[in-house]
Amino acid sequence: MNFKLKHPLRTLLTGVLALLPLAATLLLLSWLWSFLAVWLGPGSAFGQLLTGIGLGLTESEVIGYLLGLLLVVALVYAFGLMVERGLEQGAAQLLEALVQRIPVVRTVYDVVQKLVGLLSRKDGEELQSLSPVWLYFGGKPGSDAGDASAAAGKQGTAVLGFLSTPQAVMIGGMPYLGVLVPTAPVPVGGGLLYVPPDWVEPADIGMEGVTSIYVSMGVTSDQYLKKSGL
């Protein structure tokens, strides 16, 4: 009797575990779709702007939104062609000169421009912004030169994060590096920690590896990190 009860429960649990990755993926995509709908959908400020552009050609709000979106995509594509041919330099310099004259807009523009520049960098560079790093609280293992035996057995907390800037900043007369530590399972938020440079070490697992580990809440760690053999 116990066997007959355990067998269906085990089968049910097997099915739940098999469907869990698909359910998590659908949940993440649903969250992303909701996020885009809030900021870019017909009911958002940007969506109303697109609808207003398209309403000059039709009375339907839905068709107006689609026509406005199509017009924006066409303009972005045309600007992309200009960038590829190097024709946008003069217009970009004029736009930047105008933006730099507006205090608040200037600050936001500089931040976004730096983020876009970071994402467009090529691989193969040394320790750079938004590159994956290990953050060792208390210092890296073996970094204590005073006592080699104690340093060899030293083991602290290691956290995966992203280096916010490769240049150290001075805080209280001491150099610090900014490390962004994401949150799981949606690594779009987190905390920015300023730590001593000797606490930071490059993590050779790539952006995809860090993202996968956080989204899976550590389940995929063995796919990107070396196994201990324990």
Side-chain angles (χ1 to χ4, degrees), residues 3-214:
F3 175 77
K4 292 181 179 180
L5 289 176
K6 290 181 180 180
H7 182 71
L9 290 176
R10 185 173 65 249
T11 304
L12 179 61
L13 181 60
T14 301
V16 170
L17 294 177
L19 290 175
L20 188 58
L22 177 60
T25 302
L26 293 177
L27 181 62
L28 184 60
L29 291 177
S30 176
W31 173 86
L32 180 61
W33 177 261
S34 301
F35 178 81
L36 293 177
V38 170
W39 289 95
L40 303 177
S44 64
F46 181 72
Q48 292 177 1
L49 176 62
L50 295 181
T51 303
I53 295 174
L55 284 179
L57 302 175
T58 179
E59 296 181 357
S60 173
E61 293 186 358
V62 176
I63 298 179
Y65 172 80
L66 295 177
L67 290 176
L69 182 61
L70 180 62
L71 177 61
V72 171
V73 171
L75 290 176
V76 173
Y77 181 79
F79 188 76
L81 292 177
M82 292 176 59
V83 172
E84 289 182 347
R85 298 180 181 180
L87 301 177
E88 92 296 349
Q89 294 296 330
Q93 292 177 0
L94 178 61
L95 176 62
E96 186 168 355
L98 293 175
V99 169
Q100 293 297 332
R101 295 179 179 273
I102 308 175
V104 178
V105 176
R106 175 180 59 198
T107 302
V108 177
Y109 179 80
D110 288 341
V111 172
V112 174
Q113 189 180 41
K114 289 181 179 180
L115 289 177
V116 172
L118 293 175
L119 295 176
S120 62
R121 285 186 179 181
K122 296 181 180 180
D123 297 332
E125 298 181 3
E126 295 182 355
L127 201 61
Q128 61 182 13
S129 298
L130 293 185
S131 60
V133 294
W134 284 109
L135 170 58
Y136 295 98
F137 287 97
K140 291 180 287 187
S143 60
D144 188 1
D147 187 351
S149 60
K154 180 181 178 182
Q155 186 174 4
T157 302
V159 179
L160 269 175
F162 296 105
L163 189 68
S164 63
T165 173
Q167 289 81 26
V169 296
M170 302 301 294
I171 301 177
M174 301 294 292
Y176 286 85
L177 289 175
V179 178
L180 178 64
V181 179
T183 54
V186 183
V188 295
L192 179 60
L193 307 179
Y194 286 93
V195 299
D198 58 357
W199 287 23
V200 181
E201 181 180 81
D204 189 19
I205 61 176
M207 300 280 284
E208 181 182 355
V210 178
T211 304
S212 175
I213 290 174
Y214 273 97

